[in-house]
């Protein structure tokens, strides 16, 4: 049997390499396992390319390609985060809803969760989302809560987008409040005087 395997180019070393390839690509693909068409395409790429590289070229190249794919997936997520509205079910449990639904957590209150770190590459998306929510809201919003549970870092551009957003919402009669701030994000916003602008009485530990 071993002779047959070796005659087909698969010996003990080949089997070990294939098994190692499976482990490498499972790690690279795990973070891409989302029920979306593009995510499924990414996952296929993350599995096939490193797998073939480990088998036909080298383990080192396979690992390197897996790392690159993982970085690209992270960048794509940062540029196009999954942002949602949070609302309550009739049973009083929290649920996530698409932005297009316009669901409110309570009449006049929308809770918007941004799905990535806030920085120069996605701050325009952040602002556009929130202004669109306010424009389409029914009943009219009085409060807009930014749930920052998915935000682990904010750069200068991100902080400035919050500052400008605060002013735009104020013009529309909407109060901006923050919740679920990471300690590091809290420090960044305090350093950039955003907390002084919004008011610490408008910063909450959790929604």
């Amino acid at each position: 049997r071993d002779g047959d395997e070796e005659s087909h180019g698969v010996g003990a070393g080949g089997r070990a390499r294939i098994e190692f390839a499976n482990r490498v690509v499972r790690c690279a693909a795990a973070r891409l396992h989302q029920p979306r068409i593009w995510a499924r395409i990414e996952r296929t790429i993350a599995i096939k390319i490193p797998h073939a590289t480990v088998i036909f070229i080298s383990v080192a190249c396979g690992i390197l390609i897996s790392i690159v794919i993982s970085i690209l997936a992270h960048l794509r997520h940062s540029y196009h985060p999954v942002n949602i509205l949070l609302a309550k079910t009739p049973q009083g449990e929290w649920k996530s809803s698409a932005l297009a639904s316009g669901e409110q957590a309570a009449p006049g209150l929308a809770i918007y969760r941004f799905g990535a770190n806030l920085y120069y590459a996605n701050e325009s998306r952040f602002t556009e989302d929130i202004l669109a929510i306010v424009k389409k809201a029914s009943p009219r919003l009085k409060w807009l809560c930014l749930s920052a549970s998915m935000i682990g870092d904010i750069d200068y551009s991100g902080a400035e987008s919050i500052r400008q957003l605060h002013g735009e919402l104020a013009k529309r009669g909407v109060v901006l409040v923050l919740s679920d701030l990471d300690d590091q994000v809290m420090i960044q916003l305090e350093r950039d005087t955003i907390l002084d602008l919004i008011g610490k009485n408008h910063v909450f530990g959790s929604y």
Side-chain angles (χ1 to χ4, degrees):
R1 181 178 178 83
D2 289 341
D4 290 341
E5 286 180 335
E6 288 178 1
S7 67
H8 287 83
V10 182
R15 290 196 302 274
R17 179 174 286 191
I18 291 171
E19 177 57 29
F20 187 79
N22 288 332
R23 293 178 183 177
V24 169
V25 299
R26 278 199 295 268
C27 291
R31 66 180 299 164
L32 301 177
H33 186 54
Q34 304 173 35
R36 297 174 181 274
I37 293 175
W38 181 245
R40 286 199 293 271
I41 294 173
E42 282 184 325
R43 188 165 184 266
T44 299
I45 293 172
I47 291 173
K48 298 297 184 183
I49 294 179
H51 194 283
T53 303
V54 169
I55 294 173
F56 296 110
I57 302 178
S58 73
V59 171
C61 286
I63 293 174
L64 180 60
I65 288 176
S66 295
I67 292 171
V68 171
I69 289 175
S70 182
I71 292 172
L72 291 175
H74 174 73
L75 290 175
R76 190 187 75 83
H77 175 69
S78 296
Y79 275 79
H80 303 283
V82 179
N83 308 321
I84 61 171
L85 288 170
L86 294 168
K88 283 193 171 183
T89 66
Q91 292 73 35
E93 298 178 350
W94 288 105
K95 67 172 183 175
S96 59
S97 300
L99 300 184
S101 70
E103 286 201 61
Q104 299 184 11
L109 167 65
I111 301 178
Y112 169 81
R113 187 171 74 191
F114 192 71
N117 293 337
L118 183 58
Y119 66 121
Y120 72 93
N122 58 25
E123 52 91 9
S124 61
R125 166 81 177 275
F126 166 79
T127 302
E128 290 168 4
D129 277 357
I130 291 180
L131 293 181
I133 290 168
V134 172
K135 182 178 180 179
K136 298 175 182 178
S138 180
R140 181 178 177 181
L141 289 184
K142 296 180 180 178
W143 302 84
L144 188 293
C145 175
L146 168 62
S147 172
S149 60
M150 302 296 289
I151 302 176
D153 185 52
I154 297 179
D155 71 359
Y156 177 78
S157 296
E160 285 303 301
S161 70
I162 295 177
R163 187 189 307 278
Q164 295 172 13
L165 181 65
H166 177 270
E168 290 298 322
L169 293 179
K171 293 176 184 177
R172 293 163 171 77
V174 179
V175 177
L176 176 64
V177 301
L178 308 177
S179 72
D180 296 290
L181 290 177
D182 179 84
D183 290 342
Q184 179 61 33
V185 172
M186 182 85 77
I187 292 171
Q188 290 172 306
L189 294 182
E190 194 161 24
R191 177 197 62 199
D192 294 329
T193 69
I194 301 298
L195 294 186
D196 291 336
L197 175 68
I198 292 175
K200 293 185 178 181
N201 59 324
H202 289 156
V203 179
F204 301 92
S206 177
Y207 45 80

